C-alpha cells in the first residue's frame, strides 16, 4: 500500500514537498522579521522613556540643589526671608506696650503693621503665661 496519490510521480511528490518546505521557511522568515521589527520598536520606546526619566531626575536634582543652597543661605523656600525675629523691634514693641501705648500707636511709631505688633504682644503674653505654669502650655493640660 502506497501513500502516494495515484498519478503522482516521485518528482512531483518531491516538488510538492519542496514547496511546502519553502513555504514554511518563508513563513518563518516573515515571522522573524515581524518579531525583529517589534523588538526594535519596543527598544526605541524604552530609550525614549529612559531619556524622559533622566530629564525628570535631572530637573529634580536641580530643584534639590537649589533648595539646599537656599537652606544653607538661611532663606526658606521660594525666597522667603529667614525665619527669625528682629529682637530689637520686639524689645521696642514690648517696652512701648509696658509704657501703656496701644497697638495702633506702637505700629505707627515703629512703622510696623498693626497685626505684627499685636502678634508680638500676644506671643509675649503666652510666654509669660507658660512660664507661670512652669513650662506647660496655658491652653493644654499638663502632660503626665
Amino acid at each position: 500500500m502506497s501513500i502516494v496519490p495515484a498519478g503522482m510521480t516521485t518528482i512531483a511528490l518531491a516538488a510538492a514537498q519542496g514547496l511546502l518546505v519553502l513555504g514554511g521557511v518563508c513563513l518563518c522568515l516573515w515571522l522573524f522579521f515581524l518579531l525583529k521589527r517589534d523588538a526594535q520598536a519596543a527598544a526605541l520606546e524604552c530609550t525614549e522613556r529612559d531619556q524622559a526619566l533622566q530629564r525628570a531626575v535631572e530637573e529634580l536634582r536641580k530643584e534639590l540643589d537649589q533648595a539646599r543652597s537656599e537652606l544653607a543661605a538661611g532663606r526658606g523656600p521660594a525666597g522667603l526671608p529667614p525665619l527669625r525675629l528682629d529682637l530689637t523691634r520686639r524689645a521696642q514693641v514690648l517696652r512701648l506696650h509696658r509704657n501703656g501705648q496701644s497697638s495702633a500707636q506702637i505700629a505707627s511709631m515703629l512703622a510696623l503693621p498693626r497685626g505684627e505688633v499685636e502678634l508680638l504682644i500676644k506671643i509675649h503674653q503666652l510666654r509669660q503665661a507658660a512660664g507661670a505654669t512652669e513650662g506647660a502650655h496655658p491652653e493644654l493640660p499638663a502632660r503626665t
Side-chain angles (χ1 to χ4, degrees):
M1 177 161 238
S2 173
I3 53 172
V4 177
M8 273 194 110
T9 64
T10 307
I11 295 176
L13 185 59
Q17 288 175 344
L19 283 176
L20 282 174
V21 169
L22 182 63
V25 169
C26 288
L27 181 62
C28 286
L29 284 173
W30 180 66
L31 289 174
F32 172 76
F33 286 118
L34 283 179
L35 183 63
K36 189 172 181 176
R37 183 189 68 189
D38 289 347
Q40 287 174 342
L44 180 62
E45 184 179 340
C46 286
T47 302
E48 290 172 353
R49 284 184 182 176
D50 186 46
Q51 290 172 350
L53 285 173
Q54 287 177 355
R55 285 190 300 269
V57 166
E58 187 60 34
E59 184 177 322
L60 288 172
R61 279 188 182 140
K62 287 178 184 177
E63 289 178 17
L64 180 61
D65 289 341
Q66 181 180 2
R68 284 181 178 159
S69 66
E70 287 177 358
L71 185 61
R75 296 181 315 191
L80 295 175
L83 299 174
R84 59 183 171 158
L85 290 175
D86 185 355
L87 297 178
T88 306
R89 290 277 187 209
R90 180 173 175 260
Q92 289 174 337
V93 167
L94 296 177
R95 181 178 45 82
L96 291 171
H97 179 69
R98 278 192 300 270
N99 290 338
Q101 302 291 327
S102 70
S103 299
Q105 291 171 333
I106 296 170
S108 66
M109 288 167 34
L110 299 178
L112 291 173
R114 183 175 177 183
E116 184 176 344
V117 170
E118 291 172 351
L119 177 65
L120 288 170
I121 293 169
K122 182 70 173 177
I123 289 172
H124 179 70
Q125 290 170 347
L126 288 173
R127 281 190 169 177
Q128 282 183 330
T133 58
E134 298 177 356
H137 192 283
E139 298 161 357
L140 298 177
R143 294 184 188 177
T144 55

